[in-house]
Every structure is written in C-alpha cells, then in structure tokens.
Amino acid sequence: MNEIKLEYGETIIGDYDLFWDDKIKSISESGHVYITTKRLVLSYAKLHVFRADEEYSYSYPLSSIDHIEVTQLPKNSRDDTWYKCKAYLSNGVIHFSDPRYEDFAPFVNTLNAEITGDPNPLVGPKQTLVSDVANALSSVTNQFTTAFSK
C-alpha cells in the first residue's frame, strides 16, 4: 500500500484495515484508513493481473466530521455479525465496517477522541465467553429477583 503524503506538522495517529462505503464519493472499498492529526485518509488498491496495480487515496479534514455513530456491535462472542459505524460529515456520510474487534474498536475510539476531544470510548471491551456467561447469570438473577419480589 502506498504511503500517504503528510502535510507540514501532521502526524499519523492510527492505521487500520477496514471496509468502507463512502456515500459522498460513491466509493465502496476495503483498505487502509489513516487517522492523522488533521485528516481522515482512505487508501485502497485496484489489483490487476496483467498490468501494474493502481493505488488511490483521498481524505477529509477532521473538522468536517460532525460525529460518529456506532450502528452495530455483535451481541455476544459467538455472534458473527460485523462491527459497523457511520461517520457523519458536513456533506454526507461514510459507513465503516469490519468483522474484527481489534481493528474496529481502536479506529472508532481514536476517531471519536480526535473529533470530540472526549477520551471515553464509544466501543467498549470485547465480548468474550466469560462476559457472555456473566451477562446471562445477571439476567437470570434479575428475572428471579423480579419474579420473587412480586
């Protein structure tokens, strides 16, 4: 993947492999998503068999991003749905998705922290088998408490 050209005083904060559907430019691809101190950069490659691969990248200023909305998180560790979010910009929306928590959560939390200044994560800890069992036991305990209190 090509290296992005940084502006003066700009540094890369994060580099993530994600899928995106950019409704602004009508591009749906997968590739590198960079968060810098100034921009959100989307970079991808078109692979060819008989000629050289083509690499593309384009960016949006962080100041153009209004907010991030997490739209889908898997319900438990066995849930095979993808992690999804939307980034609302002043001129449209970009959908991001990934099946891997390890790429998705840091991306969303870093981007949110950069645009809002809020260090609190939008995507919490990954659901594991232990957390699934704890949630199930908590739910059963609450149901028994409610049933016997009546």
Side-chain angles (χ1 to χ4, degrees):
M1 192 52 65
N2 60 345
E3 290 186 23
I4 62 170
K5 292 181 176 64
L6 298 174
E7 299 173 2
Y8 179 77
E10 181 179 30
T11 58
I12 295 176
I13 299 169
D15 173 7
Y16 311 95
D17 287 319
L18 297 170
F19 297 88
W20 69 85
D21 185 6
D22 186 341
K23 302 294 186 185
I24 302 164
K25 295 192 184 284
S26 298
I27 298 175
S28 185
E29 286 291 338
S30 66
H32 285 280
V33 178
Y34 299 95
I35 300 172
T36 73
T37 51
K38 297 180 180 183
R39 301 178 291 155
L40 176 66
V41 181
L42 307 174
S43 177
Y44 64 96
K46 291 284 187 185
L47 305 176
H48 301 288
V49 176
F50 297 108
R51 59 186 167 111
D53 296 341
E54 298 172 294
E55 296 181 357
Y56 303 95
S57 66
Y58 60 98
S59 64
Y60 296 101
L62 289 180
S63 60
S64 70
I65 302 172
D66 295 327
H67 68 282
I68 309 266
E69 176 186 317
V70 176
T71 57
Q72 181 173 307
L73 295 174
K75 293 178 178 62
N76 55 54
S77 60
R78 297 168 308 284
D79 188 351
D80 64 353
T81 56
W82 285 31
Y83 296 89
K84 296 181 180 180
C85 75
K86 294 178 184 177
Y88 291 93
L89 286 74
S90 53
N91 57 344
V93 66
I94 304 173
H95 299 251
F96 293 96
S97 60
D98 203 86
R100 299 174 310 265
Y101 173 88
E102 293 75 17
D103 282 338
F104 183 81
F107 163 73
V108 171
N109 294 336
T110 301
L111 185 58
N112 186 59
E114 282 301 306
I115 63 172
T116 65
D118 183 4
N120 296 321
L122 284 178
V123 179
K126 182 178 182 180
Q127 293 295 314
T128 63
L129 182 59
V130 173
S131 65
D132 291 347
V133 170
N135 290 339
L137 289 175
S138 175
S139 175
V140 169
T141 303
N142 289 341
Q143 289 176 358
F144 272 113
T145 304
T146 304
F148 287 115
S149 66
K150 292 180 181 178

